[in-house]
Amino acid sequence: MGNSVDNFVNIMNEKAKQLGLNNTHFVTVNGLDAEEHYTTAFELAKLTDYALKNDKLKNIVGTKNYTVTINGYPKAIDNTNELLGYLDGVYGVKTGFTNGANRCLVTSIKRGNMDVISVVLGADTKKDRTKDSIEIIEYAFANYKLVDVSNDIEKAFNEWKQENTIEMIKGNSKYLDTELGKCEKNIIPIYYENIKDIDIKIESIKTLEAPITKGKKVGELKLEINNEQRINIDILASKNINKKDEKAYFFEMLSNISQYFEKAIMRNI
């Protein structure tokens, strides 16, 4: 794959772009120090989250000991992740050391229904990276909770629909019916003290001219927590709206004339 080191590095950088790792750039395939070879703790966490979707890799980084055969002789290999098998819930991922990066440790932990990825870079010693990692992990599980916000989203959207309409111009329907698009994650981690600060804002177009195709984006629902945007969902047209034809305009004219005479008669009674 890649046929050469340079080609493989190019593939790595292309993948980084696809994952939105804008502050990551690879030069070496083995992670050793090189100019213009860099990343951040946050983007390492994002990369780890993606990599753990590969079951084979997830199994490898979660293995504490393994015996391989080399030239007919068994060789025992121990995982260098000091937290694996030591701290509750740890199932990976990777240790690291270079002269430029010092001691590093990326850790994945699962307790209950919540997964956490911890990244410690630049520690002076192995003891420091272990201590810092444990502090980060315990803080995360002590202060964050997974919250299902789907009911909050549905309630806010339904209330908005009752009070807001999108008027159709030249359409065979006067108003456009809407629905929420797909939400990638309804269950999100929230800092305990901010659970009460969930705020949902909805914005949409006020008028549209027909024809309109089902699925057209006409607005957005944004869920914010403590002024930080956490969820963005498109508001979509729920059905096609065709343009009025001559027949529809004719019947509309008849209806308007009929209403006019009815009001005139009522005024004269």
Side-chain angles (χ1 to χ4, degrees), residues 76-245:
I77 300 175
D78 295 323
N79 195 314
T80 57
N81 184 351
E82 60 270 22
L83 295 184
L84 189 64
Y86 171 75
L87 190 67
D88 177 35
V90 172
Y91 61 92
V93 175
K94 184 73 177 70
T95 62
F97 171 81
T98 68
N99 290 327
N102 285 345
R103 301 285 175 180
C104 306
L105 178 59
V106 179
T107 313
S108 59
I109 318 95
K110 185 177 185 67
R111 295 179 186 172
N113 64 344
M114 189 162 79
D115 286 80
V116 168
I117 294 173
S118 161
V119 179
V120 171
L121 307 177
D124 290 332
T125 66
K126 180 179 175 180
K127 182 178 179 180
D128 288 335
R129 80 178 182 195
T130 303
K131 177 176 173 292
D132 291 346
S133 295
I134 292 174
E135 287 181 358
I136 290 171
I137 292 164
E138 297 301 344
Y139 177 87
F141 282 103
N143 290 277
Y144 285 83
K145 177 182 179 181
L146 286 180
V147 178
D148 187 341
V149 296
S150 55
N151 288 336
D152 298 85
I153 291 172
E154 184 177 357
K155 180 182 177 183
F157 181 62
N158 288 334
E159 289 177 352
W160 174 83
K161 284 184 68 173
Q162 290 176 6
E163 300 175 0
N164 296 269
T165 56
I166 298 176
E167 186 176 354
M168 292 304 306
I169 300 173
K170 300 179 182 179
N172 58 6
S173 293
K174 189 174 182 180
Y175 300 106
L176 177 69
D177 192 28
T178 56
E179 62 186 7
L180 283 176
K182 185 178 180 181
C183 180
E184 296 297 330
K185 289 185 179 180
N186 284 330
I187 301 175
I188 56 176
I190 302 177
Y191 187 60
Y192 273 106
E193 293 184 3
N194 292 337
I195 290 177
K196 62 182 182 299
D197 296 325
I198 295 175
D199 183 32
I200 297 177
K201 300 176 180 177
I202 299 177
E203 299 176 350
S204 76
I205 296 169
K206 299 300 181 184
T207 59
L208 276 173
E209 184 171 331
I212 297 297
T213 305
K214 179 182 177 180
K216 177 180 174 61
K217 180 179 175 181
V218 295
E220 287 182 334
L221 180 148
K222 298 176 182 179
L223 184 145
E224 298 179 349
I225 300 172
N226 198 24
N227 296 320
E228 177 189 356
Q229 186 172 317
R230 300 291 298 278
I231 293 177
N232 191 318
I233 308 175
D234 291 342
I235 297 175
L236 310 173
S238 63
K239 61 181 181 180
N240 295 331
I241 301 290
N242 296 321
K243 203 166 188 175
K244 281 192 288 191
D245 55 20

